Amino acid sequence: MIACIDPFHAIAISREAHRLEAEGRSILHMEFGQPSTGAPAAAIAAAHDILDSDPMGYWESPALKNRIARLYDERHGVTVDPERILLTCGASPGLVLALSCLFAPGAKVATARPGYVAYRNTLKALYLEVEEVDCGPADRYQISAAALRKLDPAPDGLILASPANPTGTIIPAEELAAIAQVCAQRGVRIVSDEIYHGLSYGEPAHSMLEYAPGAIIVNSFSKYFSMAGWRLGWIVVPPDLIDAARARMGNLFLTPPSLAQHAGLIAMDCAEELEGHVATYRRNRELLLEALPALGLKEIAPPDGAFYIYADVGHLTHDSLSFCQKLLRETGVAAAPGIDFDPVDGQRHIRFSFAVSTDRVEDAIARMIPWFAAQGCEEA
């Protein structure tokens, strides 16, 4: 029996947005979680030099692995052997590697709901059983140690994300430690998606490696390093899984692009430029948090990190996909429907990405003010 997975509806929204743009419409792309900025300037310059001097091929950069290992020491005070780091073609293959190393078909893996659409669908594609845990405002949209204790029987695995997509919420250090303890007691293997690390607006996010050395960590250059199109990421695996992970990487994906690895190494030392992006996101976040309640969007997940606003529009619609399509057609603002992230309650939510320039956020707000007012009048 072939696994049946759901479509990623934000892709359909984006496809329509680009079609309208090709027709001459002014479109504000807030549907995808990708920076509108490019790779750091020094990384691009290095890539130009490599193109002229290196024929490239299948390759795994030892220097890049060593630099990533140093990142864990600098950010989290954790020592990681570079041999535990596998370079991947982005975080998505990293997730496939992690899950296929840890679980046999039929294993049950818990995730938060709402959560990133690809967790649910990648689990299904690998013939793993999905156990979605309802995580609402009272839980700050995150799985807690208390919720994990209540799952009976215990799942075989857990996917965590902090900061999370679509909500941007961060799990506090003490809660991460408690989750790690519950998982250790109940034999639950952890996959921690840390792709949004570096993007926080208060307390920085902690790595699960600080509390669960046996966890598999998934990360990427797509978000903080602004290199989504370069398709470069990594996973950190425990020593007992290195051989299994390498076998899967070699057979399924070979290696990530050589050019991306050269550029990624340089990007890791472009802190001033990258922190400038974070400052822009912080300003965009402030603008949206100030403006959206005036539009009637008063129930918003607390975006501690990442670059998302997840808002309840249940007073206006119970069909988030149609709502986003209408918003796009009538204002040119592209947003993601909540149904991608929550198959139960997502029909009453939408997600805005604020990883765009501040002037575009201001433009989006100006376009949405009269539009949302009209929706309220229609609903009344």
Side-chain angles (χ1 to χ4, degrees):
M1 181 177 177
I2 297 176
C4 181
I5 66 173
D6 303 316
F8 195 161
H9 297 291
I11 293 176
I13 293 289
S14 187
R15 191 162 51 239
E16 177 66 7
H18 283 285
R19 186 188 69 78
L20 293 172
E21 202 166 26
E23 293 179 353
R25 289 281 306 276
S26 171
I27 302 298
L28 302 173
H29 289 280
M30 303 176 74
E31 74 273 29
F32 278 161
Q34 62 180 13
S36 59
T37 52
I44 293 174
H48 280 292
D49 291 340
I50 291 296
L51 282 172
D52 292 333
S53 62
D54 189 338
M56 294 180 285
Y58 302 131
W59 178 62
E60 187 181 40
S61 169
L64 182 56
K65 291 169 57 176
N66 285 329
R67 183 63 184 87
I68 291 170
R70 181 154 65 91
L71 182 71
Y72 285 96
D73 182 39
E74 293 170 349
R75 275 188 184 171
H76 306 292
V78 174
T79 300
V80 175
D81 183 344
E83 288 308 302
R84 293 176 54 197
I85 297 170
L86 274 75
L87 303 177
T88 65
C89 308
S92 298
L95 180 64
V96 171
L97 291 176
L99 295 173
S100 64
C101 285
L102 287 172
F103 308 114
K108 182 183 291 185
V109 180
T111 67
R113 179 174 59 77
Y116 180 44
V117 58
Y119 299 154
R120 181 172 71 250
N121 285 321
T122 302
L123 289 168
K124 289 180 180 179
L126 293 173
Y127 297 93
L128 300 171
E129 184 180 344
V130 185
E131 183 166 12
E132 291 190 311
V133 180
D134 182 17
C135 301
D139 306 303
R140 301 186 76 256
Y141 300 92
Q142 285 281 11
I143 286 179
S144 65
L148 284 170
R149 289 191 193 96
K150 294 177 182 178
L151 297 181
D152 186 22
D156 300 290
L158 169 67
I159 299 177
L160 282 178
S162 175
N165 179 7
T167 62
T169 54
I170 289 177
I171 302 175
E174 60 273 15
E175 188 64 29
L176 276 179
I179 289 170
Q181 183 178 38
V182 170
C183 287
Q185 292 169 346
R186 306 195 73 190
V188 180
R189 298 300 298 261
I190 300 171
V191 176
S192 181
D193 182 354
E194 301 180 358
I195 191 172
Y196 295 103
H197 276 208
L199 301 174
S200 57
Y201 309 107
E203 289 298 313
H206 288 262
S207 174
M208 200 53 164
L209 284 180
E210 298 174 44
Y211 314 103
I216 293 185
I217 307 301
V218 178
N219 210 322
S220 169
F221 283 80
S222 294
K223 311 301 182 180
Y224 176 74
F225 295 102
S226 196
M227 295 178 65
W230 296 74
R231 307 317 304 136
L232 180 64
W234 73 87
I235 61 172
V236 182
V237 299
D240 62 306
L241 292 178
I242 292 175
D243 290 342
R246 285 195 174 283
R248 285 160 175 77
M249 181 64 196
N251 282 283
L252 296 176
F253 308 109
L254 291 175
T255 64
S258 295
L259 186 64
Q261 295 181 61
H262 285 291
L265 178 62
I266 302 302
M268 294 192 75
D269 290 314
C270 295
E272 182 176 356
E273 185 174 346
L274 296 170
E275 288 301 311
H277 298 335
V278 178
T280 297
Y281 305 151
R282 181 177 290 108
R283 175 57 179 156
N284 294 348
R285 170 182 176 271
E286 291 169 355
L287 288 170
L288 285 167
L289 288 177
E290 179 181 349
L292 293 182
L295 305 185
L297 307 187
K298 298 178 180 179
E299 295 184 34
I300 295 171
D304 307 314
F307 31 54
Y308 302 120
I309 296 282
Y310 193 63
D312 190 332
V313 291
H315 61 297
L316 298 174
T317 186
H318 291 284
D319 183 351
S320 60
L321 178 58
S322 294
F323 189 82
C324 286
Q325 291 168 336
K326 183 179 181 184
L327 175 67
L328 172 62
R329 288 193 307 268
E330 298 181 2
T331 70
V333 176
I339 191 64
D340 271 340
F341 312 103
D342 185 340
V344 178
D345 297 317
Q347 292 287 15
R348 56 180 297 126
H349 291 85
I350 61 174
R351 188 200 71 181
F352 296 102
S353 168
F354 52 83
V356 295
S357 61
T358 299
D359 64 312
R360 288 182 173 268
V361 170
E362 291 171 336
D363 192 357
I365 291 169
R367 297 185 194 190
M368 290 191 295
I369 287 172
W371 190 85
F372 271 92
Q375 307 316 301
C377 291
E378 290 173 7
E379 190 71 16

